[in-house]
Amino acid sequence: MLYLQMRKLLSAILLATVCCGCLISCNEKPRSYKFVKVANDGSEQVEEFDASNDTAALKIYFDRMEKIIVDNINAQAEPFKAMYVISPDGDTLNTDEELLKTMMSSIPTAIPATQQPAQEQPSKE
């Protein structure tokens, strides 16, 4: 009888531990990233933003970079010498090739696949 009560108690404790772990991991707070823009004169402008993970931060970085490029498309000189995003761990995210591949594969492409031109067959003359 005592064995059954201990077994039920142990099962309840194990279930409570698993549920608490799930609740804590699902309720993660956004992390703070830095978007750094280096001007042509060498000065840096740093903007902080929050994102849930590195992939989301990289997407925000590309959205901001695209907006800057489009806004300055007719400008004679480039507005910035460099732009990059820094994670809370101090990593420069836009130089991480594996992360870039992961991020790019998660974005649906709007450009239809183009057909390769047919190669000319050698004539049999």
Side-chain angles (χ1 to χ4, degrees), residues 22 53 61 63 73 75 100:
C22 288
N53 57 34
Y61 163 75
D63 289 343
I73 202 157
L100 287 170

Side-chain angles (χ1 to χ4, degrees), residues 94-124:
N94 51 309
T95 59
D96 184 348
E97 289 184 31
E98 190 66 33
L99 181 61
L100 287 170
K101 288 178 185 176
T102 302
M103 202 257 337
M104 295 307 279
S105 67
S106 68
I107 297 175
T109 57
I111 302 171
T114 59
Q115 294 180 351
Q116 295 289 334
Q119 292 189 4
E120 295 181 24
Q121 298 292 331
S123 61
K124 296 182 180 180

